[in-house]
Amino acid sequence: MDKETIIKLEDNKLAQTYAKRPIVLVGGKGSIVWDIDGKEYIDCMAGYGVCILGHSHPRIVEVIGSQAKQLITCHGSFYNDARAEFLKNLSEVLPGELNRVFLSNSGSESVECAIKLARRYTGRKEIIAMMRAFHGKTLGSLSATWDKKYRAPFEPLVPGFKHVPFGNISKLRSAISNNTAAVLIEPIQGEGGVFLPPNDFLQQVRELCDEKGALLILDEVQTGIARTGRMFAFEHWGVVPDILCLAKAIANGLPMGVTAARDDIMLSFRRGEHSTTFGGNAMVCKVASTTLDIIKSERLYNKAKELGDYFMGRLKEIKQSSKIVRDVRGKGLMLAMELRFPCYLIILKALEYGVILLDAGPNILRFLPPLVIKRDQIDKVCDILSELIKEEERARGLR
Ligand SMILES: *Cc1c(COP(=O)(O)O)cnc(C)c1O
């Protein structure tokens, strides 16, 4: 099929819910993807951070082949070797308290499960989430998501959700009550613009939850699995949640959601009270298990820190010599550059120069590359970005 036919089919046949970039991707290797014309791009998006080991990682390709020959699907009502192997691998990286999991297929589903679980375990109705939070777009997870533009067209949402400012412990203290089932937080807010919490915030939330008998749910769908320089972002602040949500990178791009919880919490679900047909299938478990193996044996969290520090250094240089960069921030290879103007044109122009960037709100560029990105690729991305920012400044008469 040629490029025009492909674009026309997608435009005419798909729901028009994504802001499309005008290229057709057909292949990838490591941190590079290429389009149908053979043009290469450095991928600083990695499918929203999912492809943590890079595209077509040889070991992932190999286990997909071998597992496909063995068994692809296996419902949760049967035992399976690939699933058991994944559980063993996962429990080696999770804190000991989080010793039971429910397996699903996406970030939203991992949050849905956490919300139901918190209500079921505590018998309370209310969930407190944060302003600027993003937890997904299914009705339950959307009720925890903050942005009005996602919520308003679909109201009424699930009742019982409140939002308080991220990082403000006294506002949370005023909002929490004896009816609060859980406080739901992204340790670093992702879609909302890559915001880090004040240093003592998560610890204070942990203490407040314990005091009030509410559960702490951490949504690490974006921050989890080595991206921020630790296996899980909560390790930076020494806080262990009661329930943990994972997805995005856990199966290196195959769809998987994980909700991990303490034994007593997870066992409050009775038989049949939660389920999903594809959850924990053999193929995705094999890939997730291999992904964890590779991350552990290559200590990729250390690489995320090292390369993230280097990337951040380069972004700071750009900021210093620019009038339109308001802030650079992030942790590990979860980074952002906030501009004083919308960044959409920069994202489109970067494509022409062979760089795929992501946004996080209208003025914020976000970088979620595979953890195998090379220094010279980071250099190239930053050189191009620096040129595009200068160009933008000239166009605005600032240079
Ligand atoms: C992406 C994301 C979700 C939603 O995940 P989906 O797989 O798109 O359903 C939930 N929470 C956070 C923090 C995310 O970044």
Side-chain angles (χ1 to χ4, degrees):
M1 233 185 257
D2 64 21
K3 183 175 170 180
E4 282 67 38
T5 313
I6 293 167
I7 291 179
K8 213 168 168 184
L9 270 168
E10 289 211 16
D11 283 347
N12 291 339
K13 297 293 178 190
L14 279 175
Q16 294 294 295
T17 51
Y18 298 103
K20 289 280 205 185
R21 294 147 196 248
I23 58 174
V24 177
L25 294 181
V26 296
K29 185 88 197 138
S31 305
I32 300 288
V33 289
W34 53 88
D35 69 14
I36 194 162
D37 304 318
K39 179 173 172 175
E40 293 191 346
Y41 304 83
I42 301 173
D43 188 3
C44 285
M45 171 170 171
Y48 276 77
V50 304
C51 200
I52 201 107
L53 305 175
H55 298 278
S56 291
H57 188 286
R59 266 191 71 199
I60 298 293
V61 172
E62 185 201 314
V63 299
I64 286 177
S66 57
Q67 188 62 46
K69 284 189 197 137
Q70 190 71 34
L71 186 67
I72 292 175
T73 187
C74 179
H75 189 258
S77 51
F78 292 88
Y79 295 94
N80 173 257
D81 56 342
R83 191 187 300 129
E85 179 190 297
F86 168 62
L87 293 174
K88 181 166 177 286
N89 255 343
L90 182 64
S91 65
E92 279 165 18
V93 297
L94 282 174
E97 297 91 317
L98 301 176
N99 52 4
R100 269 187 201 273
V101 301
F102 181 84
L103 302 178
S104 58
N105 314 286
S106 69
S108 300
E109 271 184 89
S110 73
V111 172
E112 294 287 342
C113 175
I115 293 168
K116 281 177 71 174
L117 201 50
R119 283 188 169 181
R120 187 70 173 97
Y121 178 74
T122 61
R124 303 174 178 187
K125 301 275 179 274
E126 187 182 273
I127 307 281
I128 302 180
M130 302 291 124
M131 291 174 181
R132 283 194 316 240
F134 185 84
H135 298 291
K137 292 181 185 168
T138 57
L139 282 172
S141 64
L142 182 61
S143 308
T145 290
W146 160 252
D147 200 329
K148 259 245 146 334
K149 74 171 184 281
Y150 300 143
R151 301 164 56 91
F154 306 104
E155 284 167 354
L157 300 177
V158 177
F161 284 77
K162 273 193 212 170
H163 291 85
V164 300
F166 180 66
N168 186 328
I169 193 70
S170 59
K171 286 276 165 57
L172 180 60
R173 185 173 285 282
S174 321
I176 202 167
S177 74
N178 290 337
N179 196 27
T180 305
V183 176
L184 169 56
I185 304 185
E186 299 156 86
I188 300 172
Q189 293 188 314
E191 303 306 309
V194 187
F195 289 98
L196 278 80
N199 245 328
D200 48 0
F201 181 62
L202 293 175
Q203 195 67 53
Q204 289 172 325
V205 176
R206 175 72 276 181
E207 284 163 21
L208 184 58
C209 285
D210 290 343
E211 185 188 319
K212 300 289 180 185
L215 300 180
L216 173 60
I217 305 172
L218 289 183
D219 178 350
E220 292 231 28
V221 166
Q222 192 160 146
T223 52
I225 318 298
R227 174 153 300 282
T228 71
R230 297 288 187 94
M231 199 61 178
F232 306 106
F234 61 69
E235 296 171 28
H236 293 294
W237 294 283
V239 168
V240 176
D242 301 298
I243 304 178
L244 175 68
C245 301
L246 300 171
K248 290 199 165 86
I250 189 146
N252 197 45
L254 262 63
M256 174 182 249
V258 174
T259 311
R262 285 197 335 247
D263 236 16
D264 54 333
I265 298 173
M266 192 56 84
L267 292 175
S268 66
F269 272 159
R270 297 293 161 195
R271 209 154 278 170
E273 285 181 351
H274 201 61
S275 67
T276 177
T277 304
F278 296 121
N281 67 73
M283 174 62 86
V284 80
C285 282
K286 185 69 193 182
V287 173
S289 175
T290 308
T291 301
L292 288 179
D293 265 347
I294 296 169
I295 289 173
K296 281 190 274 187
S297 68
E298 297 180 13
R299 297 179 204 281
L300 285 180
Y301 27 82
N302 292 343
K303 253 185 115 182
K305 172 165 170 34
E306 236 169 79
L307 290 167
D309 287 349
Y310 181 72
F311 205 150
M312 177 67 106
R314 293 286 331 252
L315 294 178
K316 280 186 175 151
E317 281 171 27
I318 297 175
K319 176 175 182 273
Q320 250 157 26
S321 62
S322 160
K323 296 191 184 69
I324 64 166
V325 178
R326 182 181 278 156
D327 190 23
V328 293
R329 54 180 178 260
K331 232 175 175 37
L333 282 172
M334 179 174 182
L335 297 167
M337 173 179 267
E338 181 167 349
L339 305 179
R340 296 186 194 281
F341 302 104
C343 60
Y344 191 65
L345 272 180
I346 290 183
I347 291 176
L348 281 183
K349 277 191 199 143
L351 271 187
E352 286 169 30
Y353 289 95
V355 173
I356 295 182
L357 298 176
L358 183 58
D359 56 338
N363 294 3
I364 301 172
L365 291 167
R366 180 171 29 158
F367 310 88
L368 298 173
L371 306 190
V372 298
I373 192 168
K374 304 273 189 302
R375 270 178 198 243
D376 62 332
Q377 292 172 324
I378 293 174
D379 283 335
K380 192 171 166 202
V381 168
C382 290
D383 291 346
I384 288 166
L385 183 59
S386 174
E387 276 314 305
L388 290 176
I389 283 173
K390 283 182 192 146
E391 207 176 287
E392 180 84 12
E393 287 172 344
R394 279 192 292 270
R396 291 178 183 276
L398 294 168
R399 184 174 280 271

